[in-house]
């Protein structure tokens, strides 16, 4: 078995300085975060979810992981690399490191940046070992993010990690299927935006006439591998709808009991405007998501990207498999259950997991063909 370089390192821990502080952190039952670079001062406060060990560069990080593995019999719960000017040489070093030691591919890897979040997306695409870019604002929910990404990566790295039926197959990265899927996404999304541009201009004008506020609704959603992106729709609700969410939770049509996964869908939501109701019932509010498809955030077919407050409740082994599939505009859930009131949380997640297991280009084509039949909903949800 390959091993790390055996040189031990005296590293600085956020909870103290020197070897004793590191030994204390590593021996603790809490999870350990390996932070590479200079941590922000707000990160130095206590956190009951994990402890941080700091390394200054990639080589020092390798030595820290050697200590964790062979001295303390542990591995970091996640690696966080602070973006800095030397990234052009550091990221190839990380890429070589992960390709040499394949078992490390199960560890979540995040880039931390103070700003320029959107500009760093290209690095996530270029280097497959990078799971996401995070900022200080997301630090408080880092534990949930790590939980989801680590389960996904363990299932991908160690297939036996998740016990499934021998007849079930996890998402397969077949080149032909992926190439055809992406080609179809780009072609249909670009064509759709061109053909529907007059309709989009009309809708934008009507939204502005009906109520004050933005034309588009843009919010962060979690897609495949819990990757967070900005999700676009035509605004169908009053401008401050998100702040009124707690007031309408008692109207939730899902059978949540406060424990486990949380989905919120309200029949005849009082926050929806008159025009918004029409746009939802005809699915015209979804048209701006073609921009997400062109950007590569979403596909035409996949599992719906979830609001972060929903995604952070899906961290158990039973539910995390839904994140194996890409985010999509339409999918198995929309075709089979759209607009029906009798759906349970378990039923919706089971449909998402079913698609993640069965997905293929042929299956996507079947779902696209059957989507028009589900466009007109039976209920205003």
């Amino acid at each position: 078995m390959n091993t790390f370089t055996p040189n031990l390192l005296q590293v600085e821990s956020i909870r103290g300085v020197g070897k004793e502080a590191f030994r204390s952190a590593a021996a603790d039952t809490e999870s350990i975060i390996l932070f590479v670079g200079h941590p922000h001062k707000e990160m130095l406060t206590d956190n009951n979810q994990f402890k941080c060990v700091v390394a200054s560069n990639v080589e020092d990080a390798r030595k820290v992981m050697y200590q964790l593995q062979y001295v303390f019999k542990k591995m970091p719960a996640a690696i966080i690399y602070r973006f800095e000017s030397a990234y052009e040489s550091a990221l190839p070093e990380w890429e070589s490191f992960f390709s040499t030691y394949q078992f490390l591919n199960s560890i979540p890897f995040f880039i931390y940046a103070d700003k320029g979040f959107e500009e760093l997306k290209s690095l996530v695409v270029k280097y497959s070992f990078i799971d996401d870019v995070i900022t200080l604002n997301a630090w408080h929910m880092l534990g949930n993010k790590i939980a989801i990404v680590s389960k996904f990566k363990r299932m991908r790295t160690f297939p036996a990690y998740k016990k499934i039926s021998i007849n079930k197959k996890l998402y397969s990265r077949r080149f032909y299927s992926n190439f055809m899927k992406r080609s179809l996404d780009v072609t249909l999304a670009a064509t759709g935006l061109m053909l529907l541009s007059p309709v989009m201009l009309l809708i934008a004008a009507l939204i502005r006439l009906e109520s004050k506020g933005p034309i588009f609704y843009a919010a962060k959603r979690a897609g495949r591998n819990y990757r967070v992106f900005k999700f676009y729709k035509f605004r169908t609700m009053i401008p401050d709808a998100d702040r009124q969410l707690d007031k309408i939770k008692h109207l939730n049509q899902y059978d949540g009991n406060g424990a486990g996964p949380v989905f919120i869908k309200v029949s005849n939501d009082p926050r929806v405007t008159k025009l918004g109701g029409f746009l939802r019932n005809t699915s015209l509010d979804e048209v701006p998501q073609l921009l997400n498809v062109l950007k590569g955030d979403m596909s035409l077919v996949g599992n719906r990207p979830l609001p972060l407050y929903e995604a952070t409740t899906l961290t158990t082994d039973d539910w995390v498999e839904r994140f194996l599939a890409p985010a999509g505009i339409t999918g198995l859930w929309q075709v089979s259950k759209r607009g029906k009131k009798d759906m349970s949380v378990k039923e919706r997640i089971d449909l998402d997991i079913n698609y993640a297991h069965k997905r293929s280009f042929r299956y996507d084509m079947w779902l696209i063909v059957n989507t028009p039949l589900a466009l007109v909903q039976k209920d205003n949800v």
Side-chain angles (χ1 to χ4, degrees):
M1 176 184 293
N2 292 323
T3 60
F4 301 117
T5 174
N7 299 323
L8 298 184
L9 176 69
Q10 303 278 343
V11 298
E12 176 180 343
S13 168
I14 283 182
R15 300 247 177 145
V17 180
K19 187 174 180 179
E20 291 304 317
F22 176 53
R23 188 180 299 276
S24 174
D28 200 280
T29 57
E30 292 175 306
S31 298
I32 295 173
I33 303 299
L34 175 56
F35 193 98
V36 185
H38 300 290
H40 200 278
K41 60 181 180 180
E42 272 81 358
M43 299 174 186
L44 303 179
T45 57
D46 289 346
N47 188 302
N48 58 12
Q49 290 183 301
F50 53 79
K51 292 182 177 179
C52 292
V53 174
V54 179
S56 59
N57 53 48
V58 180
E59 182 60 28
D60 287 351
R62 290 167 62 117
K63 296 174 183 178
V64 169
M65 284 192 282
Y66 176 85
Q67 282 188 304
L68 287 173
Q69 183 184 17
Y70 292 106
V71 178
F72 302 106
K73 309 300 181 184
K74 300 188 71 172
M75 290 300 291
I79 300 171
I80 301 177
Y81 168 73
R82 182 162 188 167
F83 183 79
E84 40 91 22
S85 59
Y87 77 95
E88 292 183 346
S89 60
L91 291 180
E93 284 187 67
W94 280 114
E95 186 173 45
S96 175
F97 188 40
F98 282 114
S99 63
T100 302
Y101 305 101
Q102 292 292 326
F103 66 94
L104 294 178
N105 289 315
S106 64
I107 300 176
F109 187 101
F110 305 112
I111 290 182
Y112 171 82
D114 292 315
K115 58 183 179 179
F117 179 88
E118 294 295 328
E119 289 76 5
L120 296 181
K121 280 188 174 181
S122 60
L123 295 179
V124 178
V125 176
K126 182 177 181 180
Y127 296 101
S128 59
F129 64 89
I130 301 175
D131 295 298
D132 206 352
V133 179
I134 61 173
T135 63
L136 187 61
N137 292 333
W139 195 256
H140 68 284
M141 58 182 297
L142 185 60
N144 288 328
K145 195 177 191 69
I146 290 173
I148 291 178
V149 175
S150 62
K151 286 183 173 66
F152 174 88
K153 297 189 79 170
R154 280 195 297 246
M155 285 189 292
R156 188 176 62 187
T157 307
F158 310 111
Y161 169 75
K162 177 66 180 176
K163 296 180 180 180
I164 57 175
S165 170
I166 194 171
N167 293 322
K168 291 183 179 180
K169 296 181 180 179
L170 293 180
Y171 165 64
S172 174
R173 291 185 167 221
R174 290 178 297 175
F175 173 80
Y176 171 79
S177 180
N178 286 337
F179 175 78
M180 294 298 294
K181 181 179 180 68
R182 183 57 185 160
S183 299
L184 183 69
D185 284 346
V186 173
T187 301
L188 292 186
T191 302
L193 285 171
M194 287 189 294
L195 294 178
L196 294 173
S197 56
V199 177
M200 294 177 68
L201 289 173
L202 177 61
I203 293 173
L206 293 175
I207 292 175
R208 182 53 59 87
L209 288 173
E210 183 183 42
S211 62
K212 295 181 179 179
I215 294 172
F216 295 102
Y217 172 77
K220 290 183 178 180
R221 295 288 177 95
R224 186 181 174 208
N225 193 13
Y226 196 68
R227 182 157 293 165
V228 178
F229 62 93
K230 190 169 290 187
F231 171 85
Y232 300 105
K233 295 178 68 174
F234 280 122
R235 180 173 61 85
T236 59
M237 293 185 176
I238 56 178
D240 62 344
D242 286 343
R243 292 194 290 271
Q244 297 187 22
L245 185 61
D246 289 338
K247 298 179 181 179
I248 52 92
K249 282 185 177 179
H250 66 285
L251 302 174
N252 191 7
Q253 74 180 64
Y254 286 114
D255 59 351
N257 55 9
V262 176
F263 285 143
I264 296 178
K265 183 72 73 173
V266 176
S267 179
N268 298 312
D269 193 324
R271 300 172 300 164
V272 177
T273 64
K274 291 182 179 179
L275 176 61
F278 170 77
L279 295 177
R280 287 183 166 212
N281 289 337
T282 58
S283 296
L284 288 172
D285 63 319
E286 311 278 0
V287 172
Q289 290 164 45
L290 294 174
L291 293 171
N292 289 117
V293 174
L294 281 181
K295 290 173 59 181
D297 296 327
M298 296 174 61
S299 175
L300 292 173
V301 182
N303 290 334
R304 290 298 288 172
L306 299 182
L308 300 188
Y309 66 83
E310 292 182 358
T312 53
T313 65
L314 300 178
T315 59
T316 67
D317 292 346
D318 292 333
W319 307 130
V320 75
E321 285 186 54
R322 78 165 308 279
F323 291 100
L324 288 167
I329 295 179
T330 187
L332 181 59
W333 167 67
Q334 287 86 352
V335 169
S336 60
K337 300 294 291 186
R338 185 178 176 89
K340 297 181 180 179
K341 291 184 177 181
D342 59 347
M343 185 192 305
S344 66
V345 170
K346 182 179 184 302
E347 187 175 12
R348 175 174 172 178
I349 300 176
D350 285 345
L351 287 170
D352 289 343
I353 294 175
N354 181 279
Y355 171 75
H357 289 165
K358 294 174 59 178
R359 85 172 204 84
S360 66
F361 179 71
R362 180 180 298 180
Y363 193 36
D364 286 358
M365 291 299 296
W366 181 85
L367 291 170
I368 289 175
V369 169
N370 283 273
T371 294
L373 299 177
L375 284 179
V376 179
Q377 301 185 35
K378 297 179 181 179
D379 185 44
N380 182 21
V381 294

